[in-house]
Amino acid sequence: NAGVTQTPKFRVLKTGQSMTLLCAQDMNHEYMYWYRQDPGMGLRLIHYSVGEGTTAKGEVPDGYNVSRLKKQNFLLGLESAAPSQTSVYFCASSYGLSGNIQYFGAGTRLSVL
Amino acid sequence: GDSVTQMEGPVTLSEEAFLTINCTYTATGYPSLFWYVQYPGEGLQLLLKATKADDKGSNKGFEATYRKETTSFHLEKGSVQVSDSAVYFCALSDRNTGTASKLTFGTGTRLQVTL
């Protein structure tokens, strides 16, 4: 019953460093999403994917890149981390079109110093 | 664009009290509506959903009714328990055909239930 698994759970970066967050789902979902959660702002969509090999920008894509080389994995990259990217990052997946339930991972807490 | 407004917290209640968390929305289309719950240290999980006007979603004693005329989806529970302490998010998903199920979230309402 793994569902959506995110790694790592915690990370501390220095400004300018790079890192990749990994999301893996075992539900054979077509759609995957990356959100960031900040105090008082709810969750905001960074990027999403509607299938293997596809990606699209969400509400707050600047400073992030993503890749979906395999259907079960969705990677979020920070090429040059900034303090403004300190946040909790959530990955989610769903079967697809509007109205379908999204299943979330447990989150990655990232601090950029 | 789409938006969701929910009451600010934190909301502190005694066990067995009645809970209401207000949620209103603005959408260009005809959205599906959701309540998600986030327990401490965990990701979000679906609590309930409604896909059309007058639908009532329910789960674990929580209920919410899709009110198109007032663009609202208020969450209610008749008798809260300490285990209900969590952050509750109202969300909508636009119904445009062919688009991914992108969710627009409210800011979340923290509920704390005390003995």
Side-chain angles (χ1 to χ4, degrees), chain B residues 39-55:
Chain B
Y39 298 103
E42 298 183 11
L44 282 71
Q45 55 185 274
L46 179 73
L47 182 59
L48 53 85
K49 65 179 279 191
T51 57
K52 62 183 188 294
D54 300 326
D55 264 3

Side-chain angles (χ1 to χ4, degrees), chain B residues 11-67:
Chain B
V11 175
T12 303
L13 295 173
S14 298
E15 203 169 41
E16 299 183 1
F18 185 86
L19 169 71
T20 300
I21 300 178
N22 290 337
C23 171
T24 57
Y25 67 89
T26 302
T28 52
Y30 191 173
S32 295
L33 301 175
F34 305 83
W35 277 101
Y36 279 82
V37 58
Q38 184 180 29
Y39 298 103
E42 298 183 11
L44 282 71
Q45 55 185 274
L46 179 73
L47 182 59
L48 53 85
K49 65 179 279 191
T51 57
K52 62 183 188 294
D54 300 326
D55 264 3
K56 178 185 284 188
S58 61
N59 186 26
K60 300 181 181 180
F62 291 90
E63 293 182 340
T65 301
Y66 191 144
R67 300 289 188 199

Side-chain angles (χ1 to χ4, degrees), chain A residues 43 73-74:
Chain A
L43 277 75
N73 295 337
F74 195 30

